[in-house]
PDB file of all heavy atoms in Angstrom:
ATOM      1  N   VAL A 451     -32.669  53.194  35.863  1.00 94.00           N
ATOM      2  CA  VAL A 451     -34.013  53.125  35.273  1.00 94.00           C
ATOM      3  C   VAL A 451     -34.211  54.286  34.298  1.00 94.00           C
ATOM      4  O   VAL A 451     -34.746  54.110  33.195  1.00 94.00           O
ATOM      5  CB  VAL A 451     -35.094  53.140  36.379  1.00 94.00           C
ATOM      6  CG1 VAL A 451     -36.470  53.383  35.781  1.00 94.00           C
ATOM      7  CG2 VAL A 451     -35.074  51.823  37.144  1.00 94.00           C
ATOM      8  N   ILE A 452     -33.759  55.491  34.672  1.00 91.00           N
ATOM      9  CA  ILE A 452     -33.907  56.656  33.791  1.00 91.00           C
ATOM     10  C   ILE A 452     -33.150  56.425  32.482  1.00 91.00           C
ATOM     11  O   ILE A 452     -33.692  56.628  31.394  1.00 91.00           O
ATOM     12  CB  ILE A 452     -33.415  57.941  34.491  1.00 91.00           C
ATOM     13  CG1 ILE A 452     -34.390  58.322  35.608  1.00 91.00           C
ATOM     14  CG2 ILE A 452     -33.278  59.096  33.478  1.00 91.00           C
ATOM     15  CD1 ILE A 452     -33.879  59.428  36.520  1.00 91.00           C
ATOM     16  N   PHE A 453     -31.899  55.976  32.575  1.00 92.00           N
ATOM     17  CA  PHE A 453     -31.113  55.764  31.353  1.00 92.00           C
ATOM     18  C   PHE A 453     -31.685  54.626  30.517  1.00 92.00           C
ATOM     19  O   PHE A 453     -31.739  54.703  29.300  1.00 92.00           O
ATOM     20  CB  PHE A 453     -29.634  55.513  31.696  1.00 92.00           C
ATOM     21  CG  PHE A 453     -28.906  56.769  32.072  1.00 92.00           C
ATOM     22  CD1 PHE A 453     -28.422  56.960  33.355  1.00 92.00           C
ATOM     23  CD2 PHE A 453     -28.722  57.788  31.131  1.00 92.00           C
ATOM     24  CE1 PHE A 453     -27.772  58.136  33.714  1.00 92.00           C
ATOM     25  CE2 PHE A 453     -28.072  58.966  31.478  1.00 92.00           C
ATOM     26  CZ  PHE A 453     -27.595  59.140  32.777  1.00 92.00           C
ATOM     27  N   TYR A 454     -32.159  53.567  31.201  1.00 93.00           N
ATOM     28  CA  TYR A 454     -32.728  52.439  30.461  1.00 93.00           C
ATOM     29  C   TYR A 454     -33.974  52.872  29.695  1.00 93.00           C
ATOM     30  O   TYR A 454     -34.111  52.600  28.510  1.00 93.00           O
ATOM     31  CB  TYR A 454     -33.063  51.299  31.425  1.00 93.00           C
ATOM     32  CG  TYR A 454     -33.830  50.180  30.762  1.00 93.00           C
ATOM     33  CD1 TYR A 454     -33.168  49.234  29.981  1.00 93.00           C
ATOM     34  CD2 TYR A 454     -35.211  50.093  30.891  1.00 93.00           C
ATOM     35  CE1 TYR A 454     -33.871  48.224  29.345  1.00 93.00           C
ATOM     36  CE2 TYR A 454     -35.920  49.083  30.251  1.00 93.00           C
ATOM     37  CZ  TYR A 454     -35.249  48.155  29.489  1.00 93.00           C
ATOM     38  OH  TYR A 454     -35.952  47.176  28.853  1.00 93.00           O
ATOM     39  N   THR A 455     -34.911  53.562  30.367  1.00 88.00           N
ATOM     40  CA  THR A 455     -36.153  53.937  29.696  1.00 88.00           C
ATOM     41  C   THR A 455     -35.887  54.935  28.579  1.00 88.00           C
ATOM     42  O   THR A 455     -36.556  54.912  27.551  1.00 88.00           O
ATOM     43  CB  THR A 455     -37.182  54.522  30.683  1.00 88.00           C
ATOM     44  OG1 THR A 455     -36.567  55.600  31.390  1.00 88.00           O
ATOM     45  CG2 THR A 455     -37.691  53.475  31.635  1.00 88.00           C
ATOM     46  N   ALA A 456     -34.891  55.828  28.766  1.00 87.00           N
ATOM     47  CA  ALA A 456     -34.576  56.807  27.713  1.00 87.00           C
ATOM     48  C   ALA A 456     -33.948  56.115  26.508  1.00 87.00           C
ATOM     49  O   ALA A 456     -34.326  56.365  25.369  1.00 87.00           O
ATOM     50  CB  ALA A 456     -33.650  57.888  28.251  1.00 87.00           C
ATOM     51  N   ALA A 457     -32.993  55.208  26.753  1.00 88.00           N
ATOM     52  CA  ALA A 457     -32.245  54.601  25.649  1.00 88.00           C
ATOM     53  C   ALA A 457     -33.016  53.474  24.986  1.00 88.00           C
ATOM     54  O   ALA A 457     -33.027  53.359  23.768  1.00 88.00           O
ATOM     55  CB  ALA A 457     -30.897  54.073  26.159  1.00 88.00           C
ATOM     56  N   ARG A 459     -36.521  52.310  25.830  1.00 78.00           N
ATOM     57  CA  ARG A 459     -37.970  52.438  25.675  1.00 78.00           C
ATOM     58  C   ARG A 459     -38.395  53.766  25.067  1.00 78.00           C
ATOM     59  O   ARG A 459     -39.580  54.024  24.900  1.00 78.00           O
ATOM     60  CB  ARG A 459     -38.664  52.246  27.036  1.00 78.00           C
ATOM     61  CG  ARG A 459     -38.281  50.966  27.751  1.00 78.00           C
ATOM     62  CD  ARG A 459     -38.647  49.716  26.964  1.00 78.00           C
ATOM     63  NE  ARG A 459     -40.067  49.616  26.728  1.00 78.00           N
ATOM     64  CZ  ARG A 459     -40.914  49.011  27.547  1.00 78.00           C
ATOM     65  NH1 ARG A 459     -40.489  48.442  28.636  1.00 78.00           N
ATOM     66  NH2 ARG A 459     -42.189  48.957  27.256  1.00 78.00           N
ATOM     67  N   ASN A 460     -37.439  54.627  24.747  1.00 76.00           N
ATOM     68  CA  ASN A 460     -37.733  55.903  24.088  1.00 76.00           C
ATOM     69  C   ASN A 460     -38.694  56.772  24.907  1.00 76.00           C
ATOM     70  O   ASN A 460     -39.627  57.362  24.374  1.00 76.00           O
ATOM     71  CB  ASN A 460     -38.296  55.640  22.682  1.00 76.00           C
ATOM     72  CG  ASN A 460     -38.261  56.890  21.821  1.00 76.00           C
ATOM     73  OD1 ASN A 460     -37.419  57.766  22.024  1.00 76.00           O
ATOM     74  ND2 ASN A 460     -39.169  56.981  20.870  1.00 76.00           N
ATOM     75  N   ILE A 461     -38.489  56.814  26.217  1.00 77.00           N
ATOM     76  CA  ILE A 461     -39.330  57.639  27.082  1.00 77.00           C
ATOM     77  C   ILE A 461     -38.542  58.880  27.497  1.00 77.00           C
ATOM     78  O   ILE A 461     -37.484  58.770  28.115  1.00 77.00           O
ATOM     79  CB  ILE A 461     -39.802  56.838  28.314  1.00 77.00           C
ATOM     80  CG1 ILE A 461     -40.732  55.712  27.853  1.00 77.00           C
ATOM     81  CG2 ILE A 461     -40.502  57.738  29.331  1.00 77.00           C
ATOM     82  CD1 ILE A 461     -41.109  54.726  28.933  1.00 77.00           C
ATOM     83  N   HIS A 462     -39.043  60.049  27.125  1.00 76.00           N
ATOM     84  CA  HIS A 462     -38.292  61.278  27.354  1.00 76.00           C
ATOM     85  C   HIS A 462     -39.165  62.349  28.001  1.00 76.00           C
ATOM     86  O   HIS A 462     -40.372  62.357  27.800  1.00 76.00           O
ATOM     87  CB  HIS A 462     -37.779  61.840  26.018  1.00 76.00           C
ATOM     88  CG  HIS A 462     -36.870  60.902  25.308  1.00 76.00           C
ATOM     89  ND1 HIS A 462     -35.608  60.599  25.757  1.00 76.00           N
ATOM     90  CD2 HIS A 462     -37.044  60.191  24.178  1.00 76.00           C
ATOM     91  CE1 HIS A 462     -35.050  59.742  24.928  1.00 76.00           C
ATOM     92  NE2 HIS A 462     -35.894  59.463  23.963  1.00 76.00           N
ATOM     93  N   PRO A 463     -38.541  63.273  28.703  1.00 73.00           N
ATOM     94  CA  PRO A 463     -39.304  64.431  29.172  1.00 73.00           C
ATOM     95  C   PRO A 463     -39.619  65.334  27.975  1.00 73.00           C
ATOM     96  O   PRO A 463     -38.992  65.198  26.924  1.00 73.00           O
ATOM     97  CB  PRO A 463     -38.361  65.128  30.149  1.00 73.00           C
ATOM     98  CG  PRO A 463     -37.007  64.686  29.756  1.00 73.00           C
ATOM     99  CD  PRO A 463     -37.150  63.326  29.131  1.00 73.00           C
ATOM    100  N   PRO A 464     -40.590  66.251  28.114  1.00 72.00           N
ATOM    101  CA  PRO A 464     -40.950  67.116  26.993  1.00 72.00           C
ATOM    102  C   PRO A 464     -39.751  67.917  26.495  1.00 72.00           C
ATOM    103  O   PRO A 464     -38.903  68.335  27.280  1.00 72.00           O
ATOM    104  CB  PRO A 464     -42.009  68.040  27.575  1.00 72.00           C
ATOM    105  CG  PRO A 464     -42.488  67.374  28.802  1.00 72.00           C
ATOM    106  CD  PRO A 464     -41.356  66.546  29.314  1.00 72.00           C
ATOM    107  N   GLY A 465     -39.690  68.102  25.179  1.00 73.00           N
ATOM    108  CA  GLY A 465     -38.576  68.832  24.587  1.00 73.00           C
ATOM    109  C   GLY A 465     -38.996  70.170  24.016  1.00 73.00           C
ATOM    110  O   GLY A 465     -39.279  71.094  24.758  1.00 73.00           O
ATOM    111  N   HIS A 466     -39.107  70.231  22.693  1.00 76.00           N
ATOM    112  CA  HIS A 466     -39.340  71.510  22.011  1.00 76.00           C
ATOM    113  C   HIS A 466     -40.707  72.111  22.361  1.00 76.00           C
ATOM    114  O   HIS A 466     -41.617  71.405  22.800  1.00 76.00           O
ATOM    115  CB  HIS A 466     -39.230  71.321  20.516  1.00 76.00           C
ATOM    116  CG  HIS A 466     -40.437  70.664  19.939  1.00 76.00           C
ATOM    117  ND1 HIS A 466     -40.822  69.388  20.257  1.00 76.00           N
ATOM    118  CD2 HIS A 466     -41.372  71.142  19.097  1.00 76.00           C
ATOM    119  CE1 HIS A 466     -41.929  69.097  19.617  1.00 76.00           C
ATOM    120  NE2 HIS A 466     -42.287  70.139  18.904  1.00 76.00           N
ATOM    121  N   ILE A 467     -40.842  73.397  22.142  1.00 85.00           N
ATOM    122  CA  ILE A 467     -42.105  74.082  22.435  1.00 85.00           C
ATOM    123  C   ILE A 467     -42.683  74.639  21.153  1.00 85.00           C
ATOM    124  O   ILE A 467     -41.998  75.317  20.390  1.00 85.00           O
ATOM    125  CB  ILE A 467     -41.889  75.228  23.454  1.00 85.00           C
ATOM    126  CG1 ILE A 467     -41.521  74.637  24.811  1.00 85.00           C
ATOM    127  CG2 ILE A 467     -43.130  76.102  23.559  1.00 85.00           C
ATOM    128  CD1 ILE A 467     -41.173  75.682  25.849  1.00 85.00           C
ATOM    129  N   ASN A 539     -45.660  53.033  25.003  1.00 86.00           N
ATOM    130  CA  ASN A 539     -45.036  54.217  25.606  1.00 86.00           C
ATOM    131  C   ASN A 539     -45.676  55.508  25.109  1.00 86.00           C
ATOM    132  O   ASN A 539     -45.132  56.584  25.283  1.00 86.00           O
ATOM    133  CB  ASN A 539     -43.516  54.233  25.362  1.00 86.00           C
ATOM    134  CG  ASN A 539     -43.174  54.428  23.905  1.00 86.00           C
ATOM    135  OD1 ASN A 539     -44.047  54.399  23.050  1.00 86.00           O
ATOM    136  ND2 ASN A 539     -41.904  54.641  23.618  1.00 86.00           N
ATOM    137  N   SER A 541     -47.763  58.345  25.644  1.00 92.00           N
ATOM    138  CA  SER A 541     -48.376  59.040  26.758  1.00 92.00           C
ATOM    139  C   SER A 541     -47.842  60.460  26.790  1.00 92.00           C
ATOM    140  O   SER A 541     -46.631  60.668  26.729  1.00 92.00           O
ATOM    141  CB  SER A 541     -48.034  58.329  28.070  1.00 92.00           C
ATOM    142  OG  SER A 541     -48.626  59.004  29.155  1.00 92.00           O
ATOM    143  N   THR A 542     -48.735  61.436  26.840  1.00 93.00           N
ATOM    144  CA  THR A 542     -48.270  62.814  26.936  1.00 93.00           C
ATOM    145  C   THR A 542     -49.388  63.697  27.491  1.00 93.00           C
ATOM    146  O   THR A 542     -50.551  63.324  27.464  1.00 93.00           O
ATOM    147  CB  THR A 542     -47.803  63.363  25.565  1.00 93.00           C
ATOM    148  OG1 THR A 542     -47.202  64.641  25.747  1.00 93.00           O
ATOM    149  CG2 THR A 542     -48.949  63.500  24.580  1.00 93.00           C
ATOM    150  N   MET A 543     -49.013  64.836  28.015  1.00 93.00           N
ATOM    151  CA  MET A 543     -50.000  65.835  28.397  1.00 93.00           C
ATOM    152  C   MET A 543     -50.359  66.650  27.170  1.00 93.00           C
ATOM    153  O   MET A 543     -49.533  66.818  26.270  1.00 93.00           O
ATOM    154  CB  MET A 543     -49.421  66.794  29.442  1.00 93.00           C
ATOM    155  CG  MET A 543     -49.411  66.250  30.850  1.00 93.00           C
ATOM    156  SD  MET A 543     -48.474  67.345  31.923  1.00 93.00           S
ATOM    157  CE  MET A 543     -49.768  68.427  32.483  1.00 93.00           C
ATOM    158  N   SER A 550     -48.681  69.057  21.260  1.00 93.00           N
ATOM    159  CA  SER A 550     -47.952  67.910  21.803  1.00 93.00           C
ATOM    160  C   SER A 550     -47.541  67.006  20.659  1.00 93.00           C
ATOM    161  O   SER A 550     -48.378  66.624  19.845  1.00 93.00           O
ATOM    162  CB  SER A 550     -48.840  67.129  22.769  1.00 93.00           C
ATOM    163  OG  SER A 550     -49.220  67.934  23.846  1.00 93.00           O
ATOM    164  N   THR A 551     -46.259  66.678  20.600  1.00 92.00           N
ATOM    165  CA  THR A 551     -45.757  65.805  19.547  1.00 92.00           C
ATOM    166  C   THR A 551     -45.106  64.583  20.178  1.00 92.00           C
ATOM    167  O   THR A 551     -44.263  64.723  21.061  1.00 92.00           O
ATOM    168  CB  THR A 551     -44.716  66.543  18.676  1.00 92.00           C
ATOM    169  OG1 THR A 551     -45.324  67.729  18.165  1.00 92.00           O
ATOM    170  CG2 THR A 551     -44.255  65.693  17.505  1.00 92.00           C
ATOM    171  N   VAL A 552     -45.523  63.399  19.737  1.00 92.00           N
ATOM    172  CA  VAL A 552     -44.935  62.150  20.225  1.00 92.00           C
ATOM    173  C   VAL A 552     -44.674  61.257  19.027  1.00 92.00           C
ATOM    174  O   VAL A 552     -45.558  61.075  18.198  1.00 92.00           O
ATOM    175  CB  VAL A 552     -45.894  61.394  21.176  1.00 92.00           C
ATOM    176  CG1 VAL A 552     -45.260  60.089  21.637  1.00 92.00           C
ATOM    177  CG2 VAL A 552     -46.284  62.236  22.363  1.00 92.00           C
ATOM    178  N   THR A 553     -43.461  60.721  18.933  1.00 91.00           N
ATOM    179  CA  THR A 553     -43.183  59.737  17.880  1.00 91.00           C
ATOM    180  C   THR A 553     -42.904  58.397  18.537  1.00 91.00           C
ATOM    181  O   THR A 553     -42.094  58.294  19.450  1.00 91.00           O
ATOM    182  CB  THR A 553     -41.974  60.165  17.022  1.00 91.00           C
ATOM    183  OG1 THR A 553     -42.289  61.419  16.406  1.00 91.00           O
ATOM    184  CG2 THR A 553     -41.694  59.147  15.927  1.00 91.00           C
TER     185      THR A 553
END
Side-chain angles (χ1 to χ4, degrees):
V451 167
I452 290 170
F453 284 114
Y454 172 79
T455 54
R459 307 299 299 270
N460 196 27
I461 294 172
H462 299 290
H466 76 296
I467 292 175
N539 67 352
S541 180
T542 187
M543 280 171 91
S550 299
T551 304
V552 179
T553 299

